[in-house]
Structure formats: C-alpha cells, structure tokens
Amino acid sequence: MPISAISFDGDMTLWDFQKVMRHALKKALVELRRLVPTQGAADLSVEEMIAIRNRVEEEEQGRTWNMEELRLLSFERTLEHLGRPDRNLAAHLNALYLKHRFEDIKLYPDVIPALDRLAQHFKLGLLSNGNSYPERCGLEGCFAFVVFSQDVRVRKPDRRIFEIAVQRAGCPIDELLHVGDSFENDVMGAHGAGAKTVWLNREGMESNAEVKADVEITSLADLPGVLVSGGI
C-alpha cells in the first residue's frame, strides 16, 4: 500500500533530548545550590537528580501521566532527599527547569529540510511519549496531527497509540510510516500495530531483534530519497 502519512518520534529523533534535559537540570541545580547552601546540595549531581526522577516515574506509573507533574514531584523528592522539603522551592526549580528545557531545544540540522520536502507529498505528524509540543520547540505548523502519550494515556510501544495516530491522520494503519530512534518503542511498536517503520539510527547501533525496520537510516536527510526511490 502507498504511504500517505508519516509520524515522527520527538526526543532523540528531532532533537537531542538528553543534551537539553541535562542542560536544564544543571541550571536548576545551580539555583538549588544558591538557595540551599548546604553540603548535601553541593554534593548533589545531575546524575542523582535523573535517578530520583526515574524512581518517581516508576512509582507514579499508571497514576501520573503529565510529564511536568512528574518533574515537579521529582524536585519535591530531591529536596526531601536533601532534608529540606519545600514545595514552593520545588515549584520554582521546576519552572526554571522547564524554561530551559523548552527554550533551549535545538533541532538536529537535518530536521527542517527533511520536513519541508516530505510535507509536499505526505501528511506529517508527531507521535511522542515526551512533552515537547511543536509550539515549544520551533515546529509550530509543521504537523497535521499530533499525539502525546500524556494526553491519550497510552505510551509507545503500545499499538493503541499508533491506532490513535492513524485516526487523527485519517488513513489506514498500513499507510502510516513511523520514524523514530528507539528500536523498542518506535520500530517494534509501530510494526506490531501494522505500520511501516524507519529506524533512525544516528549512532549506528546494532540490533539483534527478530523484528526488522523496513528501512534503517542514519540521518533524516536520507528519508526523502528513500521514499522517492520506492525503498519502502
């Protein structure tokens, strides 16, 4: 079947989430140390803050879907870890983090050229487990449909989130091509739902999974050519 719609993952596909997340956490940590000048705060690291956030997400699974609420809970837990519980300070740190988390996002250089070319022929969408909505990252107006797990309460690789995407795209599942960096969430998830898949493998990682992506690329710059040549 021909492809009529293309959905893109966000984090690590269109922008470097790890880089901007750590950058924003460093900004919050500097502010925390300024306002809580203790040895515990001085010794706190970004890695510890990430670990606390991951534990909070595990504990809140199925209860808290909003990513910003999870981040706020994580700052509250961080201050408790330091023996300085303070919900107002946690809210202040969360606001500072979110400011840098979104304002300082930098798209990969291959993103806009690829989207501009593909938009001439396909309906484009954003399908993400994150919370970087298009208007927050310089992509407002680029997508005909947008699906975020925190809004629909289903996360990739669950096939249901891909089914929601094609409902919004207005096409059958076998006319959807999904592009993402995560083999498990994006490739296996979309394949399991019946969509076609592109693994954006920027780092050249290896996969021994039995499921194979329909196409593997290292740059979004390669995608328009693959589609034009009938490689999918």
Side-chain angles (χ1 to χ4, degrees):
M1 295 294 292
I3 295 165
S4 59
I6 305 175
S7 59
F8 292 87
D9 170 55
D11 295 340
M12 307 309 296
T13 295
L14 304 182
W15 52 80
D16 190 333
F17 168 74
Q18 288 293 327
K19 182 177 181 179
V20 73
M21 178 267 289
R22 291 171 184 274
H23 163 74
L25 278 179
K26 287 178 183 177
K27 295 287 187 180
L29 182 55
V30 168
E31 180 72 350
L32 190 161
R33 288 171 175 165
R34 183 180 74 83
L35 296 173
V36 184
T38 64
Q39 189 60 47
D43 292 339
L44 185 68
S45 68
V46 166
E47 295 303 324
E48 287 179 281
M49 296 173 78
I50 292 172
I52 290 170
R53 191 257 182 228
N54 290 342
R55 288 197 295 272
V56 169
E57 183 177 28
E58 288 181 10
E59 294 168 7
E60 292 294 317
Q61 191 170 11
R63 291 188 297 178
T64 302
W65 284 89
N66 186 279
M67 306 296 282
E68 294 175 30
E69 291 178 16
L70 284 172
R71 182 59 71 180
L72 174 58
L73 290 172
S74 301
F75 281 119
E76 291 178 358
R77 185 70 58 82
T78 299
L79 292 172
E80 291 170 7
H81 170 73
L82 296 175
R84 298 289 294 271
D86 186 331
R87 297 185 70 181
N88 289 332
L89 177 54
H92 171 67
L93 295 173
N94 194 49
L96 179 65
Y97 168 85
L98 292 174
K99 170 181 170 62
H100 290 284
R101 160 74 176 83
F102 295 119
E103 290 184 2
D104 298 346
I105 283 179
K106 290 183 174 58
L107 301 173
Y108 289 117
D110 55 8
V111 171
I112 295 298
L115 294 182
D116 284 346
R117 287 187 63 189
L118 294 169
Q120 299 174 35
H121 307 284
F122 305 97
K123 187 176 292 186
L124 305 184
L126 182 61
L127 175 55
S128 175
N129 283 350
N131 61 335
S132 296
Y133 292 82
E135 60 273 15
R136 287 174 154 177
C137 54
L139 292 171
E140 186 172 9
C142 290
F143 300 109
F145 61 99
V146 174
V147 182
F148 281 82
S149 61
Q150 67 177 17
D151 297 328
V152 299
R153 299 199 168 199
V154 180
R155 293 177 61 83
K156 293 180 293 182
D158 193 312
R159 65 176 296 133
R160 291 175 295 171
I161 197 168
F162 297 96
E163 291 168 352
I164 292 169
V166 295
Q167 289 173 6
R168 296 186 181 179
C171 71
I173 193 70
D174 57 5
E175 291 186 18
L176 175 71
L177 174 68
H178 181 68
V179 182
D181 73 293
S182 169
F183 198 89
E184 178 182 359
N185 289 338
D186 296 307
V187 176
M188 296 186 69
H191 175 82
K196 296 180 178 68
T197 61
V198 171
W199 185 22
L200 179 58
N201 187 7
R202 293 185 183 276
E203 305 301 321
M205 297 182 294
E206 293 186 3
S207 172
N208 297 318
E210 292 184 7
V211 171
K212 301 295 181 184
D214 291 296
V215 169
E216 179 179 336
I217 57 177
T218 57
S219 169
L220 286 178
D222 299 330
L223 185 56
V226 169
L227 292 170
V228 169
S229 67
I232 297 179

